[in-house]
Amino acid sequence: HPVEAANRYWVGNAGGLWNSTANWATAAGMCSGAGGASVPGSSDVAIFADQCDSSVTINAAANLAGMDIQSGYIGTVTQGSGITVTIGSSNFSQAAGTFTGAAATIDVNGNFTITGGTFTSTSGTLTISGDWTRSVGTFTHNSGTVTLDGTSQTITGATTFYNLSKTEGADNATDEVLTFTHTTTYTVANTLTLDGRDSDDRINLLSSLAGTR
């Protein structure tokens, strides 16, 4: 039988490790270290809720459908050294707490949203295929690169990037679009890379407010 998509709630004790079934449960609960559910996989959303606010270290390569750090969570999710994190189309969302990147790749194959808390990126590459939203909360670039690899993407919310990169993904005579929110300031502290392939594979930069003439 195919594996059904499921929510996995963090219930580990302080200093707990990601790659332990004891630290995950099928419903939100207090920190117990006695969850017994499977470690979040490619069909699962890892949820950090306010019922258990202990911190976790991602100590093995994580490949999951989504990550949801909810309002009220005050712990820290730490990317272990050399550990890659891959998040699917169920998106990355952070409303509270702290996420601390290391140096390995973080790949989000969906939307990336910060509405609270503090996100410190990897010093390597954070790749996002969906939209970028930072309404409240802190994004710290950690001298890393944010790579946008979707076809039509929007950046919302004032953000300081270190390196920001978008390259036309396919030689298919179709332009890609990157939309910035009007009246918002975006800063690239080091290098901005915008690379269309040719005259019929361009990257079009747009404002969210259509102009008039």
Side-chain angles (χ1 to χ4, degrees):
H1 297 285
V3 176
E4 296 183 358
N7 291 334
R8 290 291 178 261
Y9 292 83
W10 173 253
V11 293
N13 291 316
L17 297 177
W18 176 279
N19 199 35
S20 171
T21 58
N23 293 332
W24 297 99
T26 57
M30 303 298 290
C31 302
S32 64
S38 59
V39 174
S42 60
S43 297
D44 305 322
V45 177
I47 299 175
F48 299 88
D50 62 352
Q51 289 91 336
C52 177
D53 57 14
S54 65
S55 297
V56 54
T57 297
I58 304 174
N59 65 319
N63 183 5
L64 55 153
M67 183 179 292
D68 185 9
I69 305 175
Q70 297 182 346
S71 178
Y73 178 76
I74 61 173
T76 300
V77 181
T78 301
Q79 179 188 24
S81 176
I83 301 299
T84 58
V85 178
T86 303
I87 297 173
S89 59
S90 294
N91 309 316
F92 175 91
S93 178
Q94 181 177 1
T98 301
F99 183 99
T100 302
T105 298
I106 301 174
D107 187 7
V108 180
N109 295 286
N111 297 328
F112 179 91
T113 303
I114 301 174
T115 58
T118 299
F119 182 96
T120 298
S121 191
T122 171
S123 61
T125 300
L126 167 62
T127 301
I128 298 165
S129 68
D131 292 333
W132 172 287
T133 301
R134 192 201 68 80
S135 57
V136 184
T138 301
F139 172 80
T140 301
H141 59 60
N142 197 20
S143 298
T145 298
V146 172
T147 296
L148 305 174
D149 68 347
T151 56
S152 180
Q153 295 176 270
T154 298
I155 300 180
T156 302
T159 304
T160 297
F161 302 97
Y162 187 68
N163 298 320
L164 179 63
S165 175
K166 183 170 179 61
T167 299
E168 174 79 24
D171 188 3
N172 58 2
T174 301
D175 291 352
E176 295 185 359
V177 176
L178 181 58
T179 301
F180 294 88
T181 305
H182 77 289
T183 72
T184 302
T185 299
Y186 303 94
T187 302
V188 178
N190 191 47
T191 302
L192 172 65
T193 302
L194 298 170
D195 187 3
R197 286 177 176 266
D198 48 45
S199 62
D200 62 2
D201 288 286
R202 298 163 296 190
I203 297 172
N204 296 326
L205 304 183
L206 301 179
S207 167
S208 62
L209 181 65
T212 58
R213 60 178 182 175

